[in-house]
Amino acid sequence: MKQDMIVILDLGSTENTVLARQIREMGVYSEIHPHDITLEELKRLENVKGIILNGGENRVVDGTAVEIRPELYDCGYPMISVDYPASKCEKQYDMLSKEALHTFLFDVCKAEPNWNMKNFIEDQVELIRKQVGDRKVLLALSGGVDSSVVAAMLIKAIGSQLVCVHVNHGLMRKNESESVVEVFQNQLHANLIYVDATERFLGKLANVADPEKKRKIIGGEFIRVFEEEARKLEGIDFLGQGTIYPDIIESGTKTAKMVKSHHNVGGLPEDLKFELVEPLKQLFKDEVRACGIELGLPASMVYRQPFPGPGLGVRCLGAITRDRLEAVRESDAILREEFEKAGLDKKVWQYFTVVPDFKSVGVKNHERSFDYMVIIRAINTVDAMSATIERVDWDILQVITDRILHEVDNVNRVCFDMSPKPPATIEFE
Ligand code: XMP
């Protein structure tokens, strides 16, 4: 292994991730582990240089204060504690200053600042090869940042032992599936199975207007299509997954409360049991992007804005029809093109169009028209829990409006959504 590591033991701090990031920013790799890790488990971790017992307000669980296993004090690694009454420790702190952390990492633990993407990738490649051997891994490749980076990592580690399945549910943005095929099949020579399931999804969604029902149909059908493809393949033992660090943390640690359940390609039937390969599970989102760039993925793929799993399905409001789906797809492409031209793609967190399921009256070529409207949404946020709108320059909006009205069929009106979150959500459904 290339990288030294500092282990943070979670003894109820709310700041475990802040500390992990701080240590990584100082150039040393850091992982958070549960307070009740055994000495044996700890010894199995490679290149550990030191341990921080990180206590805090969540230390009392169900009326009892959590403790580390006493044998851990004999692990032989330098150890400090923060806001935790430890018995045998180098030092105990109420709060850890930057200077004290620096001293611990580099003077006490003698850690090398060797945490960088190149070393991380080399380590992961070695670990993946060790885990997988000469067997095969299956990966659902949506084209999103996380699954794309996992795919690139697995291609580097095991080449054609990776089988990628890309399911086009017909609700992708313009040219999105094409670019997955171009990058992974044509450039990286991945073993890629492309499934065009557009008709199947649109068939199931016909006349379904309820947002939650739409989401359930899209999610459920996605698993079924993926499962059907998996059953056609033989000798697959592993499932690759783009789980990243926030997914694990948001699912709750032993001391923190659960924020939301961890969603991934779960839901596969019992007899399709795979062992998981999750090479990004220790990375924060910005680190995932840096990893993708280091692996040679195009910046447009790695820095793309978030896109919901149900895709344009939740932006073609109400019961999906082909004409409105096309209007969403084309207007979204125009919006993205113009935002890129204006440099807004690097400034605005998320921007897209939606098309409601009602029409309004207009005039076209001196005649009455009765057509759909496109609503533009452009928001900024830190964590997607709340959001403010971007004050897009009027002239840019004018250009986008003109293009949508001239280039997109069945549209006679363009609006801009002024609503922050809350009370609105970012998506409409
Ligand atoms: P809302 O609409 O809840 O969206 O304010 C917050 C963020 O989450 C994205 N989003 C999803 N992402 N699967 C995803 O991976 C989904 O089903 C989903 N629904 C919403 C949304 O685009 C926004 O960035």
Side-chain angles (χ1 to χ4, degrees):
M1 298 291 281
K2 299 270 176 198
Q3 308 162 108
D4 291 350
M5 162 153 66
I6 298 293
V7 172
I8 298 169
L9 292 189
D10 170 19
L11 282 141
S13 171
T14 51
E15 307 270 295
N16 289 313
T17 48
V18 176
L19 181 58
R21 292 214 63 136
Q22 220 177 358
I23 296 171
R24 290 185 192 188
E25 273 156 24
M26 289 181 176
V28 181
Y29 182 57
S30 174
E31 282 183 7
I32 304 161
H33 286 271
H35 66 89
D36 57 357
I37 189 171
T38 64
L39 184 59
E40 205 190 342
E41 285 164 340
L42 184 66
K43 286 283 176 190
R44 238 182 278 139
L45 301 173
E46 289 185 43
N47 283 9
V48 174
K49 293 290 163 182
I51 296 179
I52 300 176
L53 309 177
N54 205 23
E57 62 187 65
N58 291 336
R59 196 161 82 87
V60 178
V61 178
D62 298 331
T64 314
V66 296
E67 306 279 352
I68 63 163
R69 293 171 192 267
E71 72 262 25
L72 253 58
Y73 289 114
D74 302 321
C75 66
Y77 302 125
M79 195 184 271
I80 55 171
S81 79
V82 185
D83 196 7
Y84 173 70
S87 52
K88 290 183 278 173
C89 236
E90 301 272 337
K91 266 206 164 102
Q92 295 191 30
Y93 297 91
D94 292 334
M95 263 178 61
L96 195 58
S97 70
K98 244 188 163 154
E99 292 70 36
L101 180 61
H102 195 276
T103 305
F104 180 62
L105 298 187
F106 301 110
D107 299 343
V108 180
C109 300
K110 310 251 179 301
E112 288 284 326
N114 53 11
W115 158 243
N116 60 50
M117 274 309 146
K118 215 164 173 288
N119 286 343
F120 174 79
I121 291 167
E122 278 186 40
D123 281 352
Q124 289 303 321
V125 164
E126 192 187 316
L127 287 171
I128 292 166
R129 286 184 184 154
K130 216 192 271 175
Q131 184 187 5
V132 173
D134 59 2
R135 292 179 288 168
K136 283 187 183 167
V137 182
L138 179 65
L139 176 75
L141 176 58
S142 67
V145 179
D146 304 339
S147 73
S148 297
V149 177
V150 172
M153 179 83 90
L154 285 164
I155 290 167
K156 187 177 170 81
I158 55 168
S160 59
Q161 284 163 255
L162 172 71
V163 183
C164 300
V165 175
H166 176 71
V167 177
N168 178 357
H169 49 25
L171 306 167
M172 306 291 279
R173 289 174 292 189
K174 195 171 179 176
N175 294 330
E176 205 161 24
S177 283
E178 290 81 350
S179 91
V180 169
V181 173
E182 170 56 30
V183 170
F184 289 97
Q185 196 163 54
N186 301 348
Q187 295 175 20
L188 298 177
H189 309 293
N191 199 346
L192 174 70
I193 298 170
Y194 171 75
V195 187
D196 184 354
T198 303
E199 293 307 318
R200 182 169 167 167
F201 275 82
L202 294 188
K204 292 265 174 197
L205 287 163
N207 304 316
V208 181
D210 180 73
E212 276 310 302
K213 277 197 191 130
K214 285 166 70 179
R215 278 176 174 271
K216 286 218 172 77
I217 289 172
I218 298 167
E221 207 53 26
F222 195 90
I223 290 170
R224 271 188 289 281
V225 175
F226 185 70
E227 181 200 331
E228 282 169 23
E229 292 305 318
R231 286 194 192 281
K232 286 185 208 158
L233 301 164
E234 281 183 7
I236 304 258
D237 293 305
F238 299 90
L239 188 68
Q241 268 193 358
T243 315
I244 69 170
Y245 214 28
D247 297 335
I248 292 175
I249 293 162
E250 283 178 3
S251 299
T253 65
K254 285 183 182 164
T255 63
K257 299 202 174 53
M258 191 169 96
V259 179
K260 64 176 181 189
S261 62
H262 180 179
H263 60 98
N264 48 36
V265 192
L268 288 178
E270 280 291 301
D271 64 323
L272 268 182
K273 267 231 152 84
F274 300 108
E275 196 181 314
L276 296 181
V277 185
E278 299 175 293
L280 309 181
K281 70 169 187 283
Q282 292 293 340
L283 296 188
F284 293 102
K285 192 76 180 190
D286 55 319
E287 294 171 334
V288 173
R289 296 189 209 276
C291 182
I293 293 291
E294 183 69 35
L295 285 163
L297 289 179
S300 57
M301 192 167 251
V302 165
Y303 285 99
R304 45 176 255 166
Q305 53 172 325
F307 186 58
L312 300 182
V314 291
R315 296 178 182 171
C316 182
L317 308 185
I320 297 169
T321 55
R322 284 167 205 260
D323 55 350
R324 284 189 304 112
L325 185 58
E326 251 347 88
V328 181
R329 187 174 282 130
E330 291 302 321
S331 57
D332 172 77
I334 291 171
L335 180 73
R336 283 193 287 144
E337 212 178 295
E338 293 302 326
F339 264 41
E340 258 168 57
K341 268 191 217 159
L344 289 175
D345 57 323
K346 296 191 180 61
K347 179 172 177 245
V348 184
W349 199 84
Q350 196 173 15
Y351 46 95
F352 54 87
T353 61
V354 304
V355 175
D357 56 350
F358 59 85
K359 293 180 172 180
S360 74
V361 175
V363 345
K364 200 173 190 179
N365 301 328
H366 309 290
E367 281 183 24
R368 180 186 191 274
S369 73
F370 191 48
D371 267 326
Y372 295 112
M373 72 174 64
V374 166
I375 301 172
I376 297 172
R377 185 130 174 84
I379 61 96
N380 289 307
T381 177
V382 175
D383 54 9
M385 304 290 281
S386 63
T388 54
I389 59 151
E390 167 74 14
R391 292 173 174 233
V392 185
D393 183 273
W394 206 255
D395 292 339
I396 297 170
L397 284 178
Q398 196 66 62
V399 171
I400 295 166
T401 302
D402 288 347
R403 280 197 61 192
I404 290 174
L405 292 177
H406 281 100
E407 296 173 34
V408 183
D409 289 340
N410 307 308
V411 171
N412 66 357
R413 200 178 284 272
V414 176
C415 302
F416 185 84
D417 182 356
M418 295 290 290
S419 330
K421 174 182 180 175
T425 51
I426 297 174
E427 303 287 346
F428 277 53
E429 291 193 333

Short mmCIF file of all heavy atoms in Angstrom, two decimals, residues 121 124-126 128-130 132-139 141 148-165 184-185 187-193 236 238 240 277 279 295:
data_model
loop_
_atom_site.label_atom_id
_atom_site.label_comp_id
_atom_site.label_asym_id
_atom_site.label_seq_id
_atom_site.Cartn_x
_atom_site.Cartn_y
_atom_site.Cartn_z
N ILE A 121 -5.36 5.53 -6.42
CA ILE A 121 -5.75 4.64 -7.52
C ILE A 121 -4.87 3.39 -7.52
O ILE A 121 -5.37 2.27 -7.65
CB ILE A 121 -5.69 5.39 -8.87
CG1 ILE A 121 -6.81 6.44 -8.90
CG2 ILE A 121 -5.82 4.42 -10.05
CD1 ILE A 121 -6.70 7.46 -10.01
N GLN A 124 -6.10 1.15 -4.80
CA GLN A 124 -7.39 0.52 -5.09
C GLN A 124 -7.25 -0.56 -6.16
O GLN A 124 -7.88 -1.61 -6.08
CB GLN A 124 -8.42 1.57 -5.52
CG GLN A 124 -8.88 2.48 -4.40
CD GLN A 124 -9.47 1.73 -3.21
OE1 GLN A 124 -10.18 0.74 -3.37
NE2 GLN A 124 -9.14 2.17 -2.00
N VAL A 125 -6.43 -0.29 -7.16
CA VAL A 125 -6.22 -1.27 -8.23
C VAL A 125 -5.68 -2.58 -7.62
O VAL A 125 -6.15 -3.67 -7.92
CB VAL A 125 -5.27 -0.71 -9.31
CG1 VAL A 125 -4.72 -1.81 -10.20
CG2 VAL A 125 -6.00 0.34 -10.16
N GLU A 126 -4.73 -2.41 -6.71
CA GLU A 126 -4.15 -3.59 -6.05
C GLU A 126 -5.22 -4.33 -5.22
O GLU A 126 -5.34 -5.56 -5.29
CB GLU A 126 -3.02 -3.09 -5.14
CG GLU A 126 -2.12 -4.17 -4.59
CD GLU A 126 -1.14 -3.57 -3.55
OE1 GLU A 126 -0.58 -2.49 -3.83
OE2 GLU A 126 -0.98 -4.19 -2.49
N ILE A 128 -8.52 -4.23 -5.60
CA ILE A 128 -9.55 -4.83 -6.47
C ILE A 128 -9.02 -6.15 -7.05
O ILE A 128 -9.71 -7.16 -7.04
CB ILE A 128 -9.94 -3.85 -7.61
CG1 ILE A 128 -10.68 -2.63 -7.04
CG2 ILE A 128 -10.82 -4.56 -8.65
CD1 ILE A 128 -10.80 -1.47 -8.02
N ARG A 129 -7.78 -6.13 -7.51
CA ARG A 129 -7.20 -7.36 -8.09
C ARG A 129 -7.15 -8.46 -7.05
O ARG A 129 -7.43 -9.63 -7.34
CB ARG A 129 -5.81 -7.08 -8.63
CG ARG A 129 -5.88 -6.28 -9.92
CD ARG A 129 -4.51 -6.06 -10.52
NE ARG A 129 -4.62 -5.21 -11.70
CZ ARG A 129 -3.65 -4.45 -12.16
NH1 ARG A 129 -2.46 -4.43 -11.56
NH2 ARG A 129 -3.83 -3.72 -13.23
N LYS A 130 -6.80 -8.08 -5.82
CA LYS A 130 -6.73 -9.07 -4.74
C LYS A 130 -8.12 -9.65 -4.46
O LYS A 130 -8.30 -10.84 -4.29
CB LYS A 130 -6.18 -8.39 -3.47
CG LYS A 130 -5.28 -9.31 -2.65
CD LYS A 130 -5.00 -8.72 -1.28
CE LYS A 130 -3.78 -7.81 -1.23
NZ LYS A 130 -3.62 -7.18 0.10
N VAL A 132 -10.88 -9.64 -6.46
CA VAL A 132 -11.61 -10.24 -7.59
C VAL A 132 -10.87 -11.43 -8.22
O VAL A 132 -11.49 -12.35 -8.73
CB VAL A 132 -11.89 -9.15 -8.66
CG1 VAL A 132 -12.49 -9.74 -9.92
CG2 VAL A 132 -12.81 -8.07 -8.10
N GLY A 133 -9.57 -11.40 -8.15
CA GLY A 133 -8.79 -12.48 -8.78
C GLY A 133 -9.07 -12.55 -10.26
O GLY A 133 -9.04 -11.52 -10.95
N ASP A 134 -9.40 -13.76 -10.77
CA ASP A 134 -9.69 -13.85 -12.21
C ASP A 134 -11.19 -13.95 -12.47
O ASP A 134 -11.63 -14.41 -13.51
CB ASP A 134 -8.93 -15.04 -12.83
CG ASP A 134 -9.31 -16.34 -12.16
OD1 ASP A 134 -10.18 -16.32 -11.25
OD2 ASP A 134 -8.74 -17.38 -12.53
N ARG A 135 -11.99 -13.54 -11.48
CA ARG A 135 -13.44 -13.63 -11.64
C ARG A 135 -14.01 -12.34 -12.26
O ARG A 135 -13.28 -11.44 -12.62
CB ARG A 135 -14.07 -13.97 -10.30
CG ARG A 135 -13.68 -15.40 -9.88
CD ARG A 135 -14.25 -15.79 -8.55
NE ARG A 135 -13.60 -15.11 -7.45
CZ ARG A 135 -14.07 -15.10 -6.20
NH1 ARG A 135 -15.18 -15.75 -5.91
NH2 ARG A 135 -13.43 -14.47 -5.24
N LYS A 136 -15.36 -12.30 -12.39
CA LYS A 136 -15.97 -11.20 -13.13
C LYS A 136 -16.82 -10.28 -12.25
O LYS A 136 -17.44 -10.73 -11.28
CB LYS A 136 -16.87 -11.76 -14.23
CG LYS A 136 -16.10 -12.27 -15.42
CD LYS A 136 -17.08 -12.65 -16.51
CE LYS A 136 -16.36 -13.23 -17.69
NZ LYS A 136 -17.30 -13.88 -18.61
N VAL A 137 -16.88 -9.01 -12.64
CA VAL A 137 -17.65 -8.01 -11.90
C VAL A 137 -18.70 -7.40 -12.84
O VAL A 137 -18.41 -7.08 -13.99
CB VAL A 137 -16.74 -6.86 -11.40
CG1 VAL A 137 -17.54 -5.85 -10.60
CG2 VAL A 137 -15.59 -7.40 -10.56
N LEU A 138 -19.91 -7.24 -12.32
CA LEU A 138 -20.99 -6.62 -13.08
C LEU A 138 -21.21 -5.20 -12.53
O LEU A 138 -21.16 -4.99 -11.33
CB LEU A 138 -22.26 -7.45 -12.90
CG LEU A 138 -23.53 -6.98 -13.58
CD1 LEU A 138 -23.38 -7.02 -15.09
CD2 LEU A 138 -24.71 -7.87 -13.16
N LEU A 139 -21.46 -4.26 -13.44
CA LEU A 139 -21.67 -2.88 -12.98
C LEU A 139 -22.80 -2.22 -13.76
O LEU A 139 -22.81 -2.26 -14.99
CB LEU A 139 -20.38 -2.06 -13.17
CG LEU A 139 -20.47 -0.57 -12.84
CD1 LEU A 139 -20.50 -0.34 -11.33
CD2 LEU A 139 -19.31 0.20 -13.45
N LEU A 141 -23.93 0.86 -15.21
CA LEU A 141 -23.25 2.11 -15.57
C LEU A 141 -24.29 3.11 -16.07
O LEU A 141 -24.72 3.05 -17.22
CB LEU A 141 -22.21 1.80 -16.65
CG LEU A 141 -21.44 2.97 -17.24
CD1 LEU A 141 -20.70 3.75 -16.17
CD2 LEU A 141 -20.46 2.48 -18.29
N SER A 148 -19.53 6.18 -13.32
CA SER A 148 -18.51 6.34 -14.37
C SER A 148 -17.10 6.19 -13.79
O SER A 148 -16.24 5.55 -14.39
CB SER A 148 -18.61 7.71 -15.03
OG SER A 148 -19.85 7.84 -15.67
N VAL A 149 -16.88 6.78 -12.61
CA VAL A 149 -15.55 6.70 -12.02
C VAL A 149 -15.25 5.27 -11.56
O VAL A 149 -14.14 4.76 -11.74
CB VAL A 149 -15.39 7.73 -10.87
CG1 VAL A 149 -14.02 7.59 -10.20
CG2 VAL A 149 -15.56 9.15 -11.39
N VAL A 150 -16.26 4.60 -11.00
CA VAL A 150 -16.06 3.19 -10.61
C VAL A 150 -15.71 2.36 -11.85
O VAL A 150 -14.80 1.53 -11.82
CB VAL A 150 -17.34 2.59 -9.97
CG1 VAL A 150 -17.17 1.09 -9.76
CG2 VAL A 150 -17.59 3.23 -8.63
N ALA A 151 -16.44 2.61 -12.94
CA ALA A 151 -16.18 1.85 -14.16
C ALA A 151 -14.74 2.06 -14.63
O ALA A 151 -14.02 1.09 -14.92
CB ALA A 151 -17.16 2.27 -15.27
N ALA A 152 -14.31 3.32 -14.64
CA ALA A 152 -12.94 3.62 -15.11
C ALA A 152 -11.91 2.94 -14.20
O ALA A 152 -10.91 2.39 -14.67
CB ALA A 152 -12.72 5.12 -15.15
N MET A 153 -12.18 2.95 -12.90
CA MET A 153 -11.26 2.31 -11.94
C MET A 153 -11.21 0.79 -12.19
O MET A 153 -10.13 0.19 -12.20
CB MET A 153 -11.76 2.61 -10.52
CG MET A 153 -10.94 1.99 -9.44
SD MET A 153 -9.50 2.98 -9.06
CE MET A 153 -10.18 4.04 -7.78
N LEU A 154 -12.38 0.19 -12.37
CA LEU A 154 -12.43 -1.26 -12.56
C LEU A 154 -11.81 -1.67 -13.90
O LEU A 154 -11.18 -2.72 -14.01
CB LEU A 154 -13.87 -1.76 -12.45
CG LEU A 154 -14.41 -1.81 -11.00
CD1 LEU A 154 -15.92 -1.94 -10.98
CD2 LEU A 154 -13.78 -2.97 -10.23
N ILE A 155 -12.00 -0.84 -14.93
CA ILE A 155 -11.38 -1.14 -16.22
C ILE A 155 -9.86 -1.14 -16.06
O ILE A 155 -9.17 -2.02 -16.56
CB ILE A 155 -11.83 -0.10 -17.29
CG1 ILE A 155 -13.31 -0.30 -17.62
CG2 ILE A 155 -10.98 -0.24 -18.56
CD1 ILE A 155 -13.93 0.84 -18.41
N LYS A 156 -9.36 -0.16 -15.30
CA LYS A 156 -7.91 -0.11 -15.08
C LYS A 156 -7.42 -1.34 -14.31
O LYS A 156 -6.36 -1.90 -14.61
CB LYS A 156 -7.57 1.17 -14.30
CG LYS A 156 -6.08 1.41 -14.16
CD LYS A 156 -5.82 2.73 -13.44
CE LYS A 156 -4.36 2.89 -13.08
NZ LYS A 156 -3.54 3.36 -14.17
N ALA A 157 -8.24 -1.77 -13.35
CA ALA A 157 -7.79 -2.88 -12.49
C ALA A 157 -7.95 -4.24 -13.15
O ALA A 157 -7.06 -5.08 -13.07
CB ALA A 157 -8.56 -2.85 -11.16
N ILE A 158 -9.10 -4.47 -13.81
CA ILE A 158 -9.39 -5.84 -14.27
C ILE A 158 -9.83 -5.92 -15.73
O ILE A 158 -10.20 -7.01 -16.20
CB ILE A 158 -10.45 -6.52 -13.37
CG1 ILE A 158 -11.72 -5.66 -13.29
CG2 ILE A 158 -9.88 -6.80 -11.98
CD1 ILE A 158 -12.89 -6.37 -12.67
N GLY A 159 -9.81 -4.79 -16.45
CA GLY A 159 -10.09 -4.80 -17.89
C GLY A 159 -11.37 -5.50 -18.26
O GLY A 159 -12.46 -5.15 -17.79
N SER A 160 -11.25 -6.54 -19.08
CA SER A 160 -12.46 -7.17 -19.63
C SER A 160 -13.15 -8.11 -18.64
O SER A 160 -14.20 -8.68 -18.95
CB SER A 160 -12.12 -7.93 -20.91
OG SER A 160 -11.15 -8.90 -20.59
N GLN A 161 -12.62 -8.25 -17.43
CA GLN A 161 -13.36 -9.01 -16.41
C GLN A 161 -14.53 -8.17 -15.87
O GLN A 161 -15.34 -8.66 -15.11
CB GLN A 161 -12.46 -9.36 -15.23
CG GLN A 161 -11.49 -10.49 -15.50
CD GLN A 161 -10.38 -10.47 -14.46
OE1 GLN A 161 -9.26 -10.06 -14.74
NE2 GLN A 161 -10.69 -10.89 -13.24
N LEU A 162 -14.57 -6.91 -16.28
CA LEU A 162 -15.70 -6.06 -15.88
C LEU A 162 -16.74 -6.08 -16.99
O LEU A 162 -16.42 -5.88 -18.16
CB LEU A 162 -15.23 -4.61 -15.67
CG LEU A 162 -16.37 -3.60 -15.46
CD1 LEU A 162 -17.02 -3.80 -14.09
CD2 LEU A 162 -15.88 -2.17 -15.61
N VAL A 163 -17.99 -6.34 -16.61
CA VAL A 163 -19.08 -6.25 -17.58
C VAL A 163 -19.98 -5.09 -17.16
O VAL A 163 -20.54 -5.10 -16.06
CB VAL A 163 -19.92 -7.55 -17.61
CG1 VAL A 163 -21.01 -7.45 -18.68
CG2 VAL A 163 -19.03 -8.75 -17.85
N CYS A 164 -20.07 -4.05 -18.01
CA CYS A 164 -20.92 -2.90 -17.69
C CYS A 164 -22.25 -3.06 -18.40
O CYS A 164 -22.29 -3.46 -19.57
CB CYS A 164 -20.29 -1.61 -18.19
SG CYS A 164 -18.69 -1.25 -17.49
N VAL A 165 -23.32 -2.72 -17.70
CA VAL A 165 -24.63 -2.70 -18.34
C VAL A 165 -25.17 -1.28 -18.27
O VAL A 165 -25.29 -0.70 -17.18
CB VAL A 165 -25.61 -3.67 -17.63
CG1 VAL A 165 -27.01 -3.54 -18.22
CG2 VAL A 165 -25.11 -5.10 -17.75
N PHE A 184 -16.98 4.81 -22.92
CA PHE A 184 -16.61 3.52 -22.32
C PHE A 184 -16.35 2.43 -23.34
O PHE A 184 -15.42 1.64 -23.18
CB PHE A 184 -17.65 3.11 -21.27
CG PHE A 184 -17.56 3.97 -20.05
CD1 PHE A 184 -18.40 5.06 -19.88
CD2 PHE A 184 -16.57 3.75 -19.10
CE1 PHE A 184 -18.28 5.89 -18.77
CE2 PHE A 184 -16.43 4.56 -17.99
CZ PHE A 184 -17.29 5.64 -17.83
N GLN A 185 -17.16 2.39 -24.40
CA GLN A 185 -16.94 1.33 -25.38
C GLN A 185 -15.84 1.72 -26.37
O GLN A 185 -14.89 0.97 -26.57
CB GLN A 185 -18.23 1.06 -26.13
CG GLN A 185 -18.23 -0.25 -26.88
CD GLN A 185 -19.66 -0.63 -27.23
OE1 GLN A 185 -20.39 0.15 -27.85
NE2 GLN A 185 -20.08 -1.80 -26.83
N GLN A 187 -13.67 4.50 -26.39
CA GLN A 187 -12.38 5.02 -25.93
C GLN A 187 -11.70 4.11 -24.90
O GLN A 187 -10.51 3.87 -24.96
CB GLN A 187 -12.54 6.42 -25.35
CG GLN A 187 -12.98 7.45 -26.41
CD GLN A 187 -13.26 8.81 -25.80
OE1 GLN A 187 -12.82 9.14 -24.71
NE2 GLN A 187 -14.01 9.63 -26.52
N LEU A 188 -12.48 3.63 -23.93
CA LEU A 188 -11.85 2.81 -22.87
C LEU A 188 -11.97 1.31 -23.13
O LEU A 188 -11.49 0.51 -22.35
CB LEU A 188 -12.44 3.17 -21.50
CG LEU A 188 -12.24 4.62 -21.04
CD1 LEU A 188 -12.93 4.87 -19.70
CD2 LEU A 188 -10.75 4.96 -20.90
N HIS A 189 -12.62 0.95 -24.22
CA HIS A 189 -12.77 -0.45 -24.65
C HIS A 189 -13.38 -1.34 -23.57
O HIS A 189 -12.93 -2.46 -23.35
CB HIS A 189 -11.42 -1.00 -25.11
CG HIS A 189 -10.77 -0.09 -26.11
ND1 HIS A 189 -11.30 0.11 -27.36
CD2 HIS A 189 -9.68 0.70 -26.01
CE1 HIS A 189 -10.55 1.00 -28.01
NE2 HIS A 189 -9.56 1.37 -27.22
N ALA A 190 -14.39 -0.80 -22.90
CA ALA A 190 -15.07 -1.59 -21.86
C ALA A 190 -15.94 -2.65 -22.51
O ALA A 190 -16.40 -2.50 -23.64
CB ALA A 190 -15.93 -0.68 -20.98
N ASN A 191 -16.16 -3.70 -21.75
CA ASN A 191 -17.09 -4.74 -22.10
C ASN A 191 -18.48 -4.19 -21.74
O ASN A 191 -18.90 -4.30 -20.60
CB ASN A 191 -16.71 -5.91 -21.18
CG ASN A 191 -17.23 -7.20 -21.67
OD1 ASN A 191 -18.08 -7.25 -22.54
ND2 ASN A 191 -16.72 -8.26 -21.07
N LEU A 192 -19.15 -3.55 -22.70
CA LEU A 192 -20.38 -2.81 -22.37
C LEU A 192 -21.60 -3.39 -23.06
O LEU A 192 -21.62 -3.57 -24.28
CB LEU A 192 -20.21 -1.33 -22.79
CG LEU A 192 -21.44 -0.43 -22.65
CD1 LEU A 192 -21.77 -0.16 -21.19
CD2 LEU A 192 -21.21 0.91 -23.37
N ILE A 193 -22.61 -3.67 -22.26
CA ILE A 193 -23.89 -4.11 -22.82
C ILE A 193 -24.84 -2.92 -22.77
O ILE A 193 -25.11 -2.38 -21.69
CB ILE A 193 -24.47 -5.29 -22.01
CG1 ILE A 193 -23.52 -6.48 -22.07
CG2 ILE A 193 -25.85 -5.67 -22.52
CD1 ILE A 193 -23.87 -7.60 -21.11
N ILE A 236 -20.64 -14.55 -12.99
CA ILE A 236 -20.38 -13.25 -12.35
C ILE A 236 -20.47 -13.44 -10.84
O ILE A 236 -21.46 -13.97 -10.33
CB ILE A 236 -21.43 -12.21 -12.78
CG1 ILE A 236 -21.47 -12.09 -14.30
CG2 ILE A 236 -21.18 -10.88 -12.07
CD1 ILE A 236 -20.78 -10.93 -14.89
N PHE A 238 -19.30 -10.74 -8.63
CA PHE A 238 -19.24 -9.45 -7.92
C PHE A 238 -20.12 -8.40 -8.58
O PHE A 238 -20.35 -8.44 -9.78
CB PHE A 238 -17.80 -8.91 -7.94
CG PHE A 238 -16.81 -9.80 -7.25
CD1 PHE A 238 -16.14 -10.78 -7.96
CD2 PHE A 238 -16.54 -9.65 -5.89
CE1 PHE A 238 -15.21 -11.60 -7.34
CE2 PHE A 238 -15.62 -10.46 -5.26
CZ PHE A 238 -14.95 -11.44 -5.98
N GLY A 240 -20.17 -4.29 -8.89
CA GLY A 240 -19.47 -3.03 -8.63
C GLY A 240 -20.48 -1.98 -8.23
O GLY A 240 -21.58 -1.95 -8.76
N VAL A 277 -18.09 -4.75 -4.79
CA VAL A 277 -16.80 -4.09 -4.98
C VAL A 277 -17.09 -2.59 -4.97
O VAL A 277 -17.80 -2.09 -5.83
CB VAL A 277 -16.15 -4.47 -6.33
CG1 VAL A 277 -14.76 -3.86 -6.44
CG2 VAL A 277 -16.07 -5.98 -6.49
N PRO A 279 -14.92 0.57 -4.69
CA PRO A 279 -13.61 1.22 -4.54
C PRO A 279 -13.65 2.71 -4.18
O PRO A 279 -12.63 3.27 -3.85
CB PRO A 279 -12.95 1.01 -5.91
CG PRO A 279 -14.08 0.80 -6.85
CD PRO A 279 -15.18 0.15 -6.08
N LEU A 295 -8.08 9.27 -13.73
CA LEU A 295 -8.28 8.04 -14.51
C LEU A 295 -8.52 8.32 -15.99
O LEU A 295 -8.73 7.40 -16.77
CB LEU A 295 -9.47 7.25 -13.94
CG LEU A 295 -9.20 6.51 -12.62
CD1 LEU A 295 -10.52 6.13 -11.95
CD2 LEU A 295 -8.35 5.26 -12.86
#
